[in-house]
Coordinates of all heavy atoms in Angstrom, one line a residue:
M1465 N -41.6 -1.4 18.7 CA -42.0 -0.1 19.4 C -41.2 1.0 19.0 O -40.0 1.0 19.2 CB -42.0 -0.4 20.9 CG -42.9 -1.5 21.4 SD -42.6 -1.9 23.2 CE -41.1 -2.8 23.1
G1466 N -41.8 2.1 18.5 CA -41.1 3.3 18.1 C -41.8 4.5 18.7 O -42.9 4.4 19.2
V1467 N -41.1 5.6 18.7 CA -39.8 5.9 18.1 C -38.7 5.5 19.1 O -38.7 5.9 20.2 CB -39.7 7.4 17.8 CG1 -38.2 7.8 17.4 CG2 -40.6 7.9 16.7
G1468 N -37.8 4.6 18.6 CA -36.6 4.4 19.4 C -36.7 3.5 20.6 O -35.8 3.4 21.4
I1469 N -37.9 2.9 20.8 CA -38.0 2.0 22.0 C -37.3 0.7 21.7 O -36.5 0.1 22.5 CB -39.4 1.8 22.4 CG1 -40.1 3.1 22.7 CG2 -39.6 0.8 23.5 CD1 -41.6 3.1 22.9
S1470 N -37.6 0.1 20.5 CA -36.9 -1.2 20.2 C -36.1 -1.0 18.9 O -36.5 -1.1 17.8 CB -38.0 -2.3 19.9 OG -38.9 -1.9 18.9
W1471 N -34.8 -0.6 19.2 CA -33.8 -0.5 18.1 C -32.7 -1.5 18.4 O -33.0 -2.6 18.7 CB -33.3 1.0 18.0 CG -34.2 1.9 17.2 CD1 -35.3 1.5 16.4 CD2 -34.2 3.3 17.2 NE1 -35.9 2.6 15.9 CE2 -35.3 3.7 16.3 CE3 -33.4 4.3 17.8 CZ2 -35.5 5.0 16.0 CZ3 -33.7 5.6 17.5 CH2 -34.7 6.0 16.6
D1472 N -31.5 -1.2 18.2 CA -30.4 -2.2 18.2 C -30.3 -2.9 19.5 O -30.1 -4.1 19.6 CB -29.1 -1.6 17.7 CG -28.8 -0.2 18.3 OD1 -29.4 0.2 19.3 OD2 -28.0 0.5 17.7
N1473 N -30.3 -2.1 20.6 CA -30.0 -2.7 21.9 C -31.1 -3.7 22.4 O -30.8 -4.8 22.8 CB -29.7 -1.6 22.9 CG -29.0 -2.1 24.2 OD1 -28.2 -3.1 24.1 ND2 -29.2 -1.4 25.3
L1474 N -32.3 -3.2 22.3 CA -33.4 -4.1 22.8 C -33.6 -5.2 21.8 O -33.6 -6.4 22.3 CB -34.7 -3.3 22.9 CG -35.9 -4.1 23.4 CD1 -35.7 -4.8 24.7 CD2 -37.1 -3.2 23.5
A1475 N -33.8 -5.0 20.6 CA -34.1 -6.0 19.6 C -33.0 -7.0 19.5 O -33.2 -8.3 19.5 CB -34.4 -5.5 18.2
G1476 N -31.7 -6.5 19.5 CA -30.6 -7.4 19.4 C -30.5 -8.3 20.7 O -30.2 -9.5 20.6
S1477 N -30.8 -7.7 21.8 CA -30.7 -8.5 23.1 C -31.8 -9.6 23.1 O -31.5 -10.7 23.6 CB -30.8 -7.5 24.3 OG -29.7 -6.6 24.3
V1478 N -33.0 -9.2 22.6 CA -34.1 -10.2 22.6 C -33.7 -11.4 21.7 O -33.8 -12.6 22.1 CB -35.4 -9.6 22.2 CG1 -36.5 -10.7 22.0 CG2 -35.9 -8.6 23.3
S1479 N -33.3 -11.1 20.5 CA -32.9 -12.1 19.6 C -31.7 -13.0 20.1 O -31.7 -14.2 19.8 CB -32.5 -11.5 18.2 OG -33.7 -11.3 17.4
K1480 N -30.9 -12.4 20.8 CA -29.7 -13.1 21.4 C -30.2 -14.3 22.3 O -29.6 -15.3 22.4 CB -28.8 -12.2 22.1 CG -27.6 -12.9 22.7 CD -26.7 -11.8 23.5 CE -25.5 -12.5 24.1 NZ -24.7 -11.5 24.9
T1481 N -31.3 -14.1 23.0 CA -31.8 -15.1 23.9 C -32.5 -16.3 23.2 O -32.7 -17.3 23.8 CB -32.9 -14.5 24.9 OG1 -34.1 -14.2 24.1 CG2 -32.3 -13.2 25.6
G1482 N -32.8 -16.1 21.9 CA -33.5 -17.1 21.2 C -35.0 -16.8 21.0 O -35.7 -17.5 20.3
A1483 N -35.4 -15.7 21.6 CA -36.8 -15.1 21.2 C -36.6 -14.3 20.0 O -35.5 -14.2 19.4 CB -37.3 -14.4 22.4
M1484 N -37.7 -13.6 19.6 CA -37.7 -12.8 18.3 C -37.6 -11.3 18.6 O -38.6 -10.7 19.1 CB -38.9 -13.1 17.5 CG -38.9 -12.5 16.2 SD -37.7 -13.2 15.1 CE -37.6 -11.9 13.8
G1485 N -36.4 -10.7 18.3 CA -36.3 -9.3 18.5 C -36.8 -8.6 17.2 O -36.5 -9.0 16.1
I1486 N -37.5 -7.5 17.4 CA -38.0 -6.7 16.3 C -37.6 -5.3 16.4 O -37.9 -4.6 17.3 CB -39.6 -6.9 16.2 CG1 -39.9 -8.4 16.1 CG2 -40.2 -6.0 15.1 CD1 -41.4 -8.6 16.2
I1487 N -37.0 -4.8 15.3 CA -36.6 -3.4 15.2 C -37.7 -2.5 14.6 O -38.3 -2.9 13.6 CB -35.3 -3.3 14.3 CG1 -34.1 -3.9 15.0 CG2 -35.1 -1.8 13.9 CD1 -32.9 -4.1 14.2
S1488 N -38.1 -1.5 15.3 CA -39.0 -0.5 14.8 C -38.4 0.4 13.8 O -37.3 0.9 14.0 CB -39.6 0.3 15.9 OG -40.4 1.4 15.4
C1489 N -39.0 0.5 12.6 CA -38.5 1.3 11.6 C -39.1 2.8 11.6 O -38.8 3.6 10.7 CB -38.8 0.7 10.2 SG -38.0 -0.9 9.9
V1490 N -39.8 3.1 12.6 CA -40.4 4.4 12.8 C -39.4 5.4 13.4 O -38.8 5.1 14.4 CB -41.7 4.4 13.7 CG1 -42.2 5.8 14.0 CG2 -42.7 3.5 13.0
G1491 N -39.2 6.5 12.7 CA -38.5 7.6 13.3 C -37.0 7.3 13.4 O -36.3 7.9 14.3
T1492 N -36.4 6.5 12.5 CA -35.0 6.2 12.6 C -34.1 7.4 12.5 O -32.9 7.4 12.9 CB -34.6 5.1 11.5 OG1 -35.1 5.6 10.2 CG2 -35.2 3.8 11.8
G1493 N -34.7 8.5 11.9 CA -33.9 9.7 11.8 C -33.5 10.3 13.2 O -32.5 11.1 13.2
Y1494 N -34.1 9.9 14.2 CA -33.7 10.3 15.6 C -32.5 9.5 16.1 O -32.0 9.9 17.2 CB -34.9 10.2 16.5 CG -35.9 11.3 16.5 CD1 -37.0 11.3 15.7 CD2 -35.6 12.5 17.3 CE1 -37.9 12.4 15.7 CE2 -36.5 13.6 17.2 CZ -37.6 13.5 16.5 OH -38.5 14.6 16.4
Y1495 N -32.2 8.4 15.5 CA -31.1 7.5 16.0 C -29.8 8.3 16.2 O -29.4 9.0 15.3 CB -30.9 6.4 15.1 CG -29.9 5.4 15.5 CD1 -30.1 4.6 16.7 CD2 -28.7 5.1 14.8 CE1 -29.2 3.6 17.1 CE2 -27.8 4.2 15.2 CZ -28.1 3.4 16.3 OH -27.1 2.5 16.7
Q1496 N -29.2 8.2 17.3 CA -28.0 8.9 17.7 C -28.2 10.4 17.4 O -27.3 11.1 16.9 CB -26.8 8.3 16.9 CG -26.5 6.9 17.4 CD -25.3 6.3 16.7 OE1 -24.6 7.0 16.0 NE2 -25.0 5.0 17.0
K1497 N -29.3 10.9 17.8 CA -29.6 12.3 17.8 C -29.4 12.9 16.4 O -28.7 13.9 16.1 CB -28.8 13.1 18.8 CG -29.1 12.7 20.2 CD -28.4 13.5 21.2 CE -28.8 13.1 22.6 NZ -28.0 13.9 23.7
S1498 N -30.1 12.3 15.4 CA -30.1 12.7 14.0 C -28.8 12.7 13.3 O -28.6 13.4 12.3 CB -30.7 14.1 13.9 OG -32.0 14.2 14.5
A1499 N -27.9 11.9 13.8 CA -26.5 11.9 13.2 C -26.5 11.4 11.7 O -25.6 11.6 11.0 CB -25.6 11.0 14.0
F1500 N -27.6 10.7 11.3 CA -27.6 10.0 10.0 C -28.5 10.7 9.0 O -28.8 10.2 7.9 CB -28.0 8.6 10.1 CG -27.0 7.7 10.9 CD1 -27.0 7.6 12.2 CD2 -25.9 7.1 10.2 CE1 -26.0 6.9 12.9 CE2 -25.0 6.4 10.8 CZ -25.0 6.3 12.2
V1501 N -29.1 11.9 9.3 CA -30.0 12.5 8.4 C -29.3 13.6 7.6 O -28.3 14.2 8.1 CB -31.3 13.1 9.1 CG1 -31.9 12.0 9.9 CG2 -30.9 14.2 10.0
Q1502 N -29.8 13.9 6.5 CA -29.3 14.9 5.6 C -29.7 16.3 6.0 O -29.0 17.3 5.9 CB -29.7 14.7 4.1 CG -29.2 13.4 3.6 CD -27.6 13.3 3.6 OE1 -27.0 14.2 3.2 NE2 -27.1 12.2 4.1
K1503 N -31.0 16.4 6.6 CA -31.5 17.7 7.0 C -32.4 17.5 8.2 O -33.2 16.6 8.3 CB -32.3 18.3 5.9 CG -32.7 19.8 6.2 CD -33.4 20.4 5.0 CE -33.8 21.9 5.3 NZ -34.5 22.5 4.2
A1504 N -32.2 18.4 9.2 CA -33.0 18.4 10.4 C -33.4 19.9 10.7 O -32.7 20.8 10.3 CB -32.2 17.8 11.6
V1505 N -34.5 20.0 11.3 CA -35.0 21.4 11.8 C -35.1 21.3 13.3 O -36.0 20.6 13.8 CB -36.3 21.7 11.1 CG1 -36.9 23.0 11.7 CG2 -36.2 21.8 9.6
K1506 N -34.2 22.1 14.0 CA -34.2 22.1 15.4 C -34.1 20.6 16.0 O -34.9 20.2 16.8 CB -35.4 22.8 16.0 CG -35.4 24.3 15.6 CD -36.6 25.0 16.3 CE -36.5 26.5 16.0 NZ -37.7 27.2 16.5
S1507 N -33.2 19.9 15.4 CA -33.0 18.5 15.8 C -34.1 17.5 15.4 O -34.0 16.3 15.8 CB -32.7 18.4 17.3 OG -31.5 19.1 17.6
R1508 N -35.1 17.9 14.7 CA -36.1 17.0 14.2 C -35.8 16.6 12.7 O -35.6 17.5 11.9 CB -37.5 17.7 14.3 CG -37.9 18.0 15.7 CD -39.4 18.2 15.8 NE -39.8 18.7 17.1 CZ -39.8 18.0 18.2 NH1 -39.5 16.8 18.2 NH2 -40.2 18.6 19.4

């Protein structure tokens, strides 16, 4: 689920239980408020 619904905390926690955690690859540029992008426009 994206943007940012199932990232590290949710997916990691699900996989930890023995079920299957799935990381959404949609909109990863928003992760930690765009800390990992080369260019943003008004935080997008």
Side-chain angles (χ1 to χ4, degrees):
M1465 299 172 284
V1467 170
I1469 299 170
S1470 60
W1471 278 347
D1472 43 18
N1473 197 26
L1474 179 56
S1477 297
V1478 172
S1479 279
K1480 182 181 178 181
T1481 70
M1484 185 67 198
I1486 298 172
I1487 290 168
S1488 168
C1489 296
V1490 173
T1492 50
Y1494 276 95
Y1495 183 65
Q1496 295 184 5
K1497 297 184 178 179
S1498 304
F1500 292 88
V1501 305
Q1502 297 301 311
K1503 186 176 181 182
V1505 176
K1506 295 183 178 179
S1507 298
R1508 300 199 187 283

